[in-house]
Amino acid sequence: YESFEIDIYYGTSGDNYHKDVKYSVNSGSKTKIDATGDNLGVWKTLIIPVNVSGGNTFTFEIGYHANSGANFYLDNFKMKEKTGSGGGGGGGDIGESSVFEDFESKNINDAYDMKRWYPEDGSAIVGADPADSNGKSVHILTSNWDAFLKMNIALPSGKTLSDYETFSFDIYIVNNSDDEYPNYKNMAIYLDDEKKYEESDYPGQAEIATWTTKIYSLSDWSLSNEEMGKSSFSLAFGLSTDHGDYYIDNVALTEKGGGSVFIPSVRASNIIDWSKADYIQVYNIGGQLLNSNLSSVSALSDGCYILKAQIEGQRAIGKIIISK
């Protein structure tokens, strides 16, 4: 299995407003999976990655991060079976061809479009990776709220948004003397200038000066049939802040069933040979970094992971399912 699925309803009575929803498996650390936000009185489906090895029994806990007032309903608990396998000393099959944007082909000082109220509200400029001067990323500076990096996307031939399940990118938040809490902001995502996702209560987005992968389920975007059928569109996304100073890299869509599509479409092979990697970074499906310098995928236990690597001078990223 690769994920739990469970329906949750946030009750309209009690102290339910803006509570974090957390889960744990086998009494492990509590991981945030959702927040009640303004979604009181609404059924929604949570998808939770499985990261359990060995045996066919386990304990699962889910609830609010709150002292009191919890009021919610659970229904339709399911487990989704893995759709493929990979691992060992060689590569893992990630399904569809991977295409990705890591900004390495761009020139320093190339400017990207932004969704913003006024031109002076912000800028998105290609610059050196703040953690690795040999790499590149997009530096976002904002002086007004709701100024976001905007990217025009064309999916591979024959694909539409209905073929994808997650949207992800890496973010690096700079320690900002003009903002006491630069990493506690609301994230927002727009599809063709229509707001599809917005957080509340200013959650912690990442540790300061640490690259962090953010992964968002398209099922939370309430996409219409027309939107699901789109093969070209714009995505605008980032932190809503009038003192923004952060970087974005490795923008991606992940296909249902495992294939990763990275933006824009620069084709790579169907198989990534992880054995040739200079280094491998391992994330769980929720975007949490598990290992920053893995030597071989053969060391991974059974489960579903996002891997990032440097292979023969190129950056590679893919979803891999290990089943030994």
Side-chain angles (χ1 to χ4, degrees), residues 267-305:
R267 310 291 292 180
S269 65
N270 284 356
I271 304 296
I272 294 178
D273 189 352
W274 302 107
S275 66
K276 295 182 178 180
D278 298 327
Y279 66 87
I280 303 175
Q281 296 175 331
V282 184
Y283 298 80
N284 64 22
I285 299 302
Q288 180 183 10
L289 180 65
L290 303 178
N291 191 318
S292 62
N293 192 17
L294 186 73
S295 59
S296 171
V297 295
S298 62
L300 292 171
S301 59
D302 287 5
C304 186
Y305 306 92

Side-chain angles (χ1 to χ4, degrees), residues 92-98 255-260 268-271 319:
D93 186 350
I94 62 169
E96 274 298 312
S97 298
S98 295
E255 197 171 350
K256 293 176 180 177
S260 296
S269 65
N270 284 356
I271 304 296
K319 180 178 175 183

